[in-house]
Amino acid sequence: MKIPSGLELIIEKYIENKTGKPLESPGTLERIRQAVLVQKAGYWNKNPHAKYERGYDVFAYLAYQSPGYIIQFHHIIQKLNKTGHLPDNIRVLDLGSGPGVVPLALTWFFKERKKGTQTVDAIEQSEEFIEAFKFLVPEFAKGSPVNIEHIRHADIRTGYSLNSDSYTLITCQNVLAELSEYDIKEKAELLMNYCSSLTDDGFLILVEPAELRHSTRLRVLQKELEKLGLYLFGPCRHIHEGECEPAGCWSFAELPGLKPTRLMMLLAGENEGYRFINTDIKFSYSILTKKPAGIASSRINRTGTTPFRDLTDNIGEFVNVIGTKMSPDIGTREFSVFLFCDGSGGLKVYLVAPNSLKHDEIKKLKMSEYGEVLKISGVRVRWNKKKNSINLIAGSRTHVSAIHK
């Protein structure tokens, strides 16, 4: 996977214009390397933080973080579009926009879609990020149906005195983890303030890193937002009634590795790819709405299926289940393993398929997408004592059918 070559060139052009030097300048590359290392150290801090007060902080972000982040959001908006719920014409409010990662991903999408229009408002507190945004986004948007209306210099924690405009999308990508002084309830209340400007058929899209602490906190936040009146659209689904426990739910999507940009390769040189080439694309996300939308559990035929909350009563038996595939393959050479959820609670559930099985139903299971709802019949319930979880073991009698992507 790679970002558009035209966008890659625009990023290089911005750095060269800002520094007044060729991108290959040894001094420029070394200063970007040092800024990348500082940002990586801040990410792994107990309270994640990063400062973007200097131009080289922004260059480091553009070099190391933004290519993967752009691909993440491009993937999410493609999936949302496939559901048929994304209008042709959208108005977007991007919270903590940085150098415009979400608007860049959306612009890429609209160039491919070749229909509809996009109007973007953004809030960002870093002046250096705003400067980059004003160069990158309009330059990449040339010739596309994208209108950049406002980039507001404000902190999202205090900058929610908005116009009366209504937004089709409100987005917040890789921002919430840095609000370490806010607890879950405070983050939920902050987002609900913005959602007062969300259209009834609009979407709140939250994206966080796949790393354990951020991913699980996103699921807890998701549940808190539901308590405050929003409805879950995906990737999780409430298929059976029950009480899920999101605090232990480590769920993330994974895409094929990123093709390194030329800037990454320049930073890495011959020996430091492990430091400066960032090709993994793993992320957690949540999409919520103000009114129920998409697949509704009431429309799913659950007859003859066992809720996950009751699986402990069926140890050793064959059951039929409906659930959402909530992870990439996290198994071993011998077994494919996927986190599986139906929203009803109980122990954590994993779907296990021996890799020795090659029939079409097992292939269908493995090829299904993250966030896809599957009806699976003929799986044996096993208790995993080591992980205190339930394993659903697929076999020769297993049948798989997709309900919704």
Side-chain angles (χ1 to χ4, degrees):
M1 307 196 76
K2 64 187 296 290
I3 63 173
S5 56
L7 177 55
E8 189 174 338
L9 291 172
I10 290 169
I11 291 172
E12 292 183 5
K13 181 180 176 182
Y14 174 70
I15 295 174
E16 290 183 334
N17 287 358
K18 182 83 169 174
T19 62
K21 299 177 182 179
L23 189 69
E24 298 86 348
S25 169
T28 298
L29 292 175
E30 183 55 31
R31 292 183 69 181
I32 296 176
R33 290 187 190 103
Q34 294 305 313
V36 168
L37 295 177
V38 169
Q39 287 178 11
K40 289 170 69 174
Y43 173 82
W44 291 110
N45 193 281
K46 181 179 179 181
N47 294 315
H49 64 276
K51 293 183 178 180
Y52 305 103
E53 298 173 349
R54 303 174 306 135
Y56 279 91
D57 299 332
V58 175
F59 301 161
Y61 185 92
L62 290 170
Y64 191 80
Q65 306 280 17
S66 66
Y69 288 172
I70 290 167
I71 289 173
Q72 287 174 16
F73 202 86
H74 180 260
H75 174 79
I76 292 169
I77 206 68
Q78 279 185 318
K79 285 181 70 70
L80 181 57
N81 184 56
K82 287 178 181 178
T83 69
H85 289 87
L86 187 69
D88 287 350
N89 304 311
I90 67 171
R91 187 175 186 88
V92 183
L93 174 64
D94 186 30
L95 306 177
S97 193
V101 167
V102 167
L104 290 170
L106 287 168
T107 300
W108 176 13
F109 166 76
F110 268 85
K111 286 183 174 183
E112 294 175 327
R113 194 189 202 193
K114 297 181 180 178
K115 68 173 182 178
T117 61
Q118 173 192 191
T119 301
V120 176
D121 288 345
I123 299 176
E124 174 53 49
Q125 67 173 334
S126 163
E127 292 182 355
E128 287 289 345
F129 266 155
I130 291 173
E131 183 179 341
F133 181 109
K134 289 181 176 180
F135 181 93
L136 299 171
V137 179
E139 188 74 13
F140 187 53
K142 284 181 179 177
S144 70
V146 176
N147 177 38
I148 312 302
E149 289 216 338
H150 302 288
I151 170 71
R152 308 180 189 200
H153 181 206
D155 187 329
I156 65 167
R157 291 166 287 194
T158 56
Y160 49 79
S161 114
L162 302 173
N163 297 330
S164 57
D165 298 321
S166 293
Y167 295 98
T168 320
L169 297 180
I170 296 180
T171 59
C172 190
Q173 184 178 27
N174 297 305
V175 174
L176 296 171
E178 294 191 11
L179 304 182
S180 55
E181 77 281 16
Y182 273 37
D183 63 23
I184 293 297
K185 289 184 181 295
E186 290 170 323
K187 289 179 182 179
E189 290 169 359
L190 174 67
L191 290 168
M192 291 301 293
N193 282 324
Y194 287 106
C195 285
S196 63
S197 296
L198 188 66
T199 60
D200 286 345
D201 59 349
F203 297 93
L204 171 66
I205 304 179
L206 308 176
V207 189
E208 287 290 281
E211 192 259 328
L212 175 62
R213 56 181 168 166
H214 303 313
S215 181
T216 52
R217 287 171 187 169
L218 175 62
R219 297 293 163 230
V220 176
L221 174 61
Q222 172 183 289
K223 186 170 183 178
E224 189 65 28
L225 288 167
E226 289 184 272
K227 291 179 181 178
L228 295 176
L230 297 187
Y231 293 87
L232 187 58
F233 183 87
C236 308
R237 310 283 181 185
H238 296 305
I239 296 169
H240 283 284
E241 292 182 358
E243 189 68 23
C244 67
E245 295 296 334
C249 183
W250 187 12
S251 166
F252 59 90
E254 181 176 8
L255 303 182
L258 166 72
K259 180 180 179 180
T261 63
R262 187 172 83 98
L263 178 52
M264 282 187 194
M265 298 300 291
L266 288 171
L267 294 172
E270 294 183 0
N271 303 312
E272 295 193 287
Y274 69 98
R275 285 185 172 180
F276 302 111
I277 293 180
N278 184 16
T279 59
D280 285 349
I281 307 179
K282 299 176 182 178
F283 56 99
S284 296
Y285 71 94
S286 180
I287 304 177
L288 299 108
T289 62
K290 292 177 79 170
K291 290 187 175 181
I295 186 171
S297 59
S298 60
R299 298 202 301 268
I300 298 175
N301 183 2
R302 294 165 289 180
T303 304
T305 62
T306 302
F308 288 9
R309 65 174 185 268
D310 297 335
L311 287 175
T312 51
D313 297 331
N314 294 271
I315 302 296
E317 299 176 6
F318 285 93
V319 297
N320 305 325
V321 294
I322 298 177
T324 309
K325 186 176 178 180
M326 290 300 296
S327 79
D329 189 346
I330 53 176
T332 64
R333 182 175 297 180
E334 291 80 19
F335 298 94
S336 290
V337 179
F338 306 95
L339 181 64
F340 206 43
C341 182
D342 73 349
S344 69
L347 296 177
K348 190 173 291 186
V349 174
Y350 294 96
L351 192 58
V352 180
N355 288 329
S356 58
L357 295 176
K358 305 294 184 182
H359 62 84
D360 288 344
E361 297 302 309
I362 298 299
K363 291 178 182 178
K364 193 186 302 183
L365 169 62
K366 293 180 179 180
M367 294 298 292
S368 59
E369 298 180 7
Y370 175 84
E372 190 167 355
V373 178
L374 303 174
K375 185 172 185 178
I376 305 178
S377 61
V379 286
R380 186 185 289 272
V381 182
R382 294 282 180 84
W383 181 46
N384 186 330
K385 183 177 180 180
K386 185 176 180 180
K387 293 185 175 293
N388 193 32
S389 63
I390 294 291
N391 287 352
L392 298 176
I393 312 297
S396 58
R397 62 190 286 182
T398 299
H399 178 77
V400 180
S401 57
I403 294 177
H404 183 78
K405 291 187 178 182

